[in-house]
Amino acid sequence: MSTAAAISTPPAAGGISVIRISGERAIDIASALFKPFGRIPVSDMPGHTCAYGRIVAKDGEILDDVLLTVFRAPKSYTGEDTAEISCHGGLYVTKRILREVISAGAEPAAAGEFTKRAFLNGKLSLTQAEAVADLISAEGESALKSANMMREGALFRSIKSVCDKLVSLLGGLAAWTDYPDEDIPETEPEAIEASLIEAESALKKIVSDYDGGRIFREGIDSVIVGRPNVGKSTLMNALLGYDRSIVTPTAGTTRDVVEESLRLGDVVLRISDTAGLRESPDEIERLGVRLAEKALERAQLVFAVLDGSSPLCDEDREILEKIKNKRHIVVINKSDLPQKLDEKYIHSEYILKVSAKEGSGLEKLREAVYEMWGLSGYAENPTVFANERQKLCCDKALSHIAEAIAALKSGETLDAVTVCIDGAANSLLELTGEKATEAVVDDVFSRFCVGK
Ligand code: GDP
């Protein structure tokens, strides 16, 4: 395989930049450019050691004083010989050094190339490689936790254990085909069916955990609605202060919809605070209403805020009418004041009383969100898919298993059943990457950034 090189740090000015070179010629290329201040030549540097020196271009120009770290195959991230140049973090100097590395014989690395090499050299499973991509983009603690768990192979292990069972079933069936007179217990239709049902329920459990996992990774698009002065902004601020964990304060896209990301427990909520939903003769306000309606349409969750210290008015009713078919929580605010709102006119599953001003009742909001998405037991069960590709493979395996069970029940030959089980095992092997096609592998790594 060729020797690949790329800048592995973000393309921005910083303290240090790292240029990674991996492949058969990595050490040679590094030694052509790097002049150590010490006596040990690069070719003699043992793996996992570094040296201080300078990068000198082919034409003799001194480019930078750097640290060179050497990793020897197979003990490196990619499993190949690897050299990493840590130079000063200026954009120009970093690119200049990369150019020298390339003119010394390296090829520019494609997106995800280093991780792909790690996969091809057996350093990572495909699910672990995908977890590396997730880790890089993880936004919250839970996303980080689940990416890390995945990298350690939690999903790989659970899928593998189901797959091993299917493979051993296939082994039994093959033995039965070859030695039909032997009494092989696993080939009794009841025993096969029992094993298939077990595999099916293990996979179904993983699939059902997927939605929860996705919410933790991707967050929930939410919107706050309510007439003026019910306390929407105060509630937003209280929620921001509640967990003191603003994830990414997004600048408002328009003057009328303020968008902010905040965390409720371990879930990221992207909340838009809308200007209002009521028609108005004012043109600018009407524009605001259109934007608010769009935000509402997109939202996966609506917080409808009411003022508990005043009776329900027509505008409140209009708002409740508009959101009744969306997943929503009615938040009756100002619970610290004498209550005048009559709840019997509100027909919602989740009606919570809070005081945004005093910060009370906010925990109930978190509980409601967790309940709505079934997230409570999630933390203990991190075996979730990282992406749709993995989920599709699992779905395919499940439909093959269902076919196998149906074939058994309708008394079809064991050959027909074998074909279905074989299909299921293959889908799972594709999921873990043990039997992925080149196209699948390329597709997975194309999603990475260059330098990883
Ligand atoms: P918005 O127009 O819906 O965004 O409402 P604001 O958040 O600006 O709040 C309107 C007024 O209600 C302000 O004077 C707040 O201090 C007050 N307010 C908001 N929440 C509460 C609460 O829980 N209790 C009390 N007593 N006042 C509140």
Side-chain angles (χ1 to χ4, degrees):
M1 205 182 277
S2 67
T3 298
I7 300 167
S8 280
T9 36
I16 298 172
S17 290
V18 174
I19 295 133
R20 185 186 270 163
I21 316 166
S22 177
E24 257 170 37
R25 296 200 50 226
I27 311 279
D28 283 352
I29 292 171
S31 69
L33 303 170
F34 177 82
K35 308 298 165 209
F37 293 135
R39 267 171 299 168
I40 303 173
V42 175
S43 54
D44 291 349
M45 282 172 69
H48 290 87
T49 60
C50 56
Y52 185 41
R54 96 183 355 161
I55 297 288
V56 182
K58 236 194 288 175
D59 60 9
E61 186 189 352
I62 294 170
L63 298 183
D64 195 10
D65 287 356
V66 306
L67 266 188
L68 176 75
T69 314
V70 164
F71 303 87
R72 301 271 179 183
K75 292 186 174 172
S76 71
Y77 179 66
T78 57
E80 303 170 328
D81 277 348
T82 301
E84 287 184 357
I85 300 170
S86 306
C87 64
H88 289 98
L91 266 182
Y92 175 74
V93 71
T94 313
K95 284 189 180 162
R96 186 67 213 284
I97 295 174
L98 178 65
R99 228 187 302 150
E100 284 300 319
V101 168
I102 286 168
S103 75
E107 281 176 20
E113 171 103 30
F114 297 124
T115 309
K116 181 174 172 181
R117 286 175 182 226
F119 165 70
L120 295 175
N121 289 323
K123 288 257 153 187
L124 296 170
S125 70
L126 200 58
T127 47
Q128 287 171 316
E130 286 172 314
V132 171
D134 262 12
L135 196 66
I136 295 171
S137 58
E139 261 200 83
E141 187 59 31
S142 260
L144 182 70
K145 225 189 292 177
S146 98
N148 265 327
M149 293 278 197
M150 194 99 66
R151 204 166 49 120
E152 283 157 22
L155 177 71
F156 181 77
R157 282 198 303 276
S158 3
I159 294 285
K160 185 126 179 57
S161 95
V162 176
C163 193
D164 286 348
K165 282 190 194 122
L166 295 177
V167 169
S168 98
L169 259 184
L170 286 169
L173 286 162
W176 172 82
T177 314
D178 293 343
Y179 309 100
D181 298 333
E182 296 290 321
D183 230 2
I184 300 166
E186 292 94 78
T187 51
E188 295 301 324
E190 295 76 32
I192 300 175
E193 191 177 335
S195 303
L196 287 174
I197 289 174
E198 199 182 312
E200 186 179 43
S201 71
L203 292 181
K204 278 191 174 157
K205 170 92 181 70
I206 298 175
V207 170
S208 77
D209 285 343
Y210 179 57
D211 267 348
R214 184 157 55 184
I215 290 301
F216 279 120
R217 270 191 314 282
E218 297 171 9
I220 302 174
D221 267 321
S222 334
V223 67
I224 292 196
V225 294
R227 65 184 161 82
N229 283 320
V230 291
K232 297 182 296 296
S233 316
T234 314
L235 181 66
M236 283 268 268
N237 287 332
L239 288 173
L240 285 169
Y242 164 67
D243 223 338
R244 256 186 255 135
S245 54
I246 306 171
V247 183
T248 40
T250 337
T253 37
T254 75
R255 49 182 280 194
D256 295 303
V257 182
V258 181
E259 227 183 64
E260 218 147 359
S261 288
L262 58 87
R263 241 176 59 194
L264 203 57
D266 262 343
V267 185
V268 174
L269 296 182
R270 281 181 303 280
I271 296 202
S272 315
D273 180 5
T274 60
L277 287 171
R278 200 161 219 209
E279 286 308 331
S280 148
D282 182 276
E283 199 173 328
I284 303 273
E285 272 184 37
R286 273 214 304 272
L287 195 68
V289 172
R290 293 286 93 78
L291 287 168
E293 279 174 346
K294 274 214 185 104
L296 192 63
E297 220 170 90
R298 259 201 336 261
Q300 296 163 286
L301 172 64
V302 181
F303 293 98
V305 186
L306 303 173
D307 179 347
S309 69
S310 64
L312 203 67
C313 66
D314 286 347
E315 192 171 354
D316 293 330
R317 285 195 191 89
E318 279 168 31
I319 289 170
L320 292 174
E321 181 61 27
K322 272 196 176 136
I323 61 151
K324 69 173 187 216
N325 294 323
K326 298 216 61 133
R327 217 177 229 193
H328 68 268
I329 299 176
V330 174
V331 183
I332 302 180
N333 189 31
K334 309 196 186 180
S335 64
D336 54 299
L337 298 177
Q339 298 294 288
K340 291 197 184 130
L341 189 128
D342 196 345
E343 277 176 52
K344 71 169 179 278
Y345 298 108
I346 308 170
H347 310 285
S348 292
E349 199 182 340
Y350 292 93
I351 304 172
L352 303 177
K353 289 190 174 165
V354 309
S355 166
K357 197 170 176 181
E358 296 184 346
S360 61
L362 301 178
E363 178 59 19
K364 280 184 288 185
L365 280 183
R366 186 195 66 75
E367 283 167 11
V369 171
Y370 269 52
E371 197 177 305
M372 285 170 140
W373 268 272
L375 302 176
S376 300
Y378 177 77
E380 299 89 56
N381 197 345
T383 49
V384 288
F385 306 115
N387 53 40
E388 284 298 314
R389 183 194 75 79
Q390 298 180 350
K391 163 108 179 357
L392 282 177
C393 289
C394 197
D395 285 345
K396 258 197 285 180
L398 272 170
S399 75
H400 286 304
I401 291 177
E403 278 165 28
I405 294 174
L408 271 175
K409 284 204 166 121
S410 63
E412 285 192 40
T413 63
L414 284 185
D415 279 350
V417 177
T418 304
V419 170
C420 303
I421 301 177
D422 195 46
N426 274 325
S427 306
L428 296 181
L429 290 170
E430 188 183 325
L431 195 165
T432 57
E434 289 166 282
K435 219 173 172 177
T437 63
E438 203 172 317
V440 169
V441 172
D442 285 347
D443 180 63
V444 167
F445 290 100
S446 67
R447 280 182 253 260
F448 277 67
C449 46
V450 171
K452 188 63 219 175

